[in-house]
């Protein structure tokens, strides 16, 4: 989340389970204006069925959506409402890069990402089908991928070299640190 509408200014990084927001004049994040901000979501999407998927954006603002590195939908303020992409051919169980840029305009910023395929109505893309971006390079200091120790790479780029003992929706519990 950026405090300016051009993807600059103070930035706040967080993970959203899905893209389904109607801020109704509220700040999207602490320190970010309620109607003069921008957001970049990056991650992976994994469809549950193969074939042609249609992506829908319901929004007030401007947005661009990429699937697998291809721009599939571009919406401007003049097109506010629900907009659909051209069909995108996807394979079930395969992860595709997803990038969505949003610029808030107007007094009621809102955006919702939905998808559908033949014969099904648009539905919110479920959080189970979304994941953080793929790690394209190993953490700092590990040039040989075979020698990367097991552990956790944090958003800040820190690497915790410890095995996860247990995990739930709220916490990770680590085993003894690796020596």
């Amino acid at each position: 989340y950026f405090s300016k509408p051009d993807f600059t200014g103070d930035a706040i990084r967080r993970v959203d389970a899905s893209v389904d927001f109607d801020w109704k004049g509220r700040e999207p994040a602490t320190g970010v204006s309620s109607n003069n901000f921008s957001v970049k979501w990056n991650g992976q999407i994994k469809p549950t069925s193969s074939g042609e998927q249609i992506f829908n954006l319901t929004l007030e603002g401007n947005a661009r959506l990429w699937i697998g590195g291809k721009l599939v939908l571009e919406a401007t303020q003049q097109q506010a409402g629900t907009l659909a992409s051209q069909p995108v051919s996807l394979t079930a169980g395969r992860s595709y890069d997803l990038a969505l840029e949003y610029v808030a305009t107007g007094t009621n910023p809102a955006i919702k990402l939905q998808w559908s395929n033949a014969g099904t109505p648009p539905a919110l893309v479920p959080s189970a089908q979304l994941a953080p971006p793929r790690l394209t390079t190993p953490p700092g200091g590990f040039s040989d991928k075979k020698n990367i120790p097991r552990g956790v790479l944090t958003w800040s780029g820190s690497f915790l070299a410890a095995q996860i003992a247990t995990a739930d929706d709220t916490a990770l519990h680590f085993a003894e640190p690796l020596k």
Side-chain angles (χ1 to χ4, degrees):
Y1 289 75
F2 298 89
S3 62
K4 295 185 180 179
D6 60 355
F7 305 104
T8 63
D10 295 333
I12 295 171
R13 185 178 280 182
R14 72 180 194 200
V15 176
D16 292 321
S18 63
V19 179
D20 183 13
F21 298 100
D22 186 348
W23 288 283
K24 297 185 190 313
R26 296 183 313 268
E27 291 182 343
T30 303
V32 176
S33 168
S34 62
N35 64 355
N36 196 26
F37 64 93
S38 53
V39 184
K40 285 185 182 185
W41 288 280
N42 292 292
Q44 298 277 296
I45 188 166
K46 187 186 287 189
T48 55
S49 60
S50 294
E52 300 290 316
Q53 303 284 332
I54 304 289
F55 290 89
N56 296 279
L57 289 174
T58 302
L59 72 153
E60 182 174 318
N62 301 323
R64 293 188 294 181
L65 174 66
W66 290 264
I67 303 293
K70 180 181 175 191
L71 181 64
V72 298
L73 185 55
E74 187 165 12
T76 64
Q77 179 62 31
Q78 292 78 25
Q79 302 167 306
T82 300
L83 301 167
S85 72
Q86 293 296 315
V88 179
S89 183
L90 301 177
T91 303
R94 179 175 170 210
S95 293
Y96 296 85
D97 290 331
L98 176 144
L100 176 57
E101 293 181 347
Y102 172 71
V103 177
T105 59
T107 56
N108 292 309
I111 185 166
K112 180 186 291 190
L113 175 63
Q114 297 178 306
W115 63 357
S116 62
N117 54 26
T120 62
L124 187 66
V125 177
S127 60
Q129 303 319 122
L130 297 170
R134 244 188 329 237
L135 180 63
T136 56
T137 57
F142 300 108
S143 58
D144 182 357
K145 290 183 181 180
K146 294 181 293 188
N147 295 322
I148 298 174
R150 294 181 187 271
V152 175
L153 181 66
T154 68
W155 275 104
S156 67
S158 299
F159 186 74
L160 305 174
Q163 292 181 336
I164 298 173
T166 61
D168 61 30
D169 290 341
T170 61
L172 296 173
H173 302 276
F174 294 98
E176 289 294 316
L178 299 176
K179 298 186 191 236

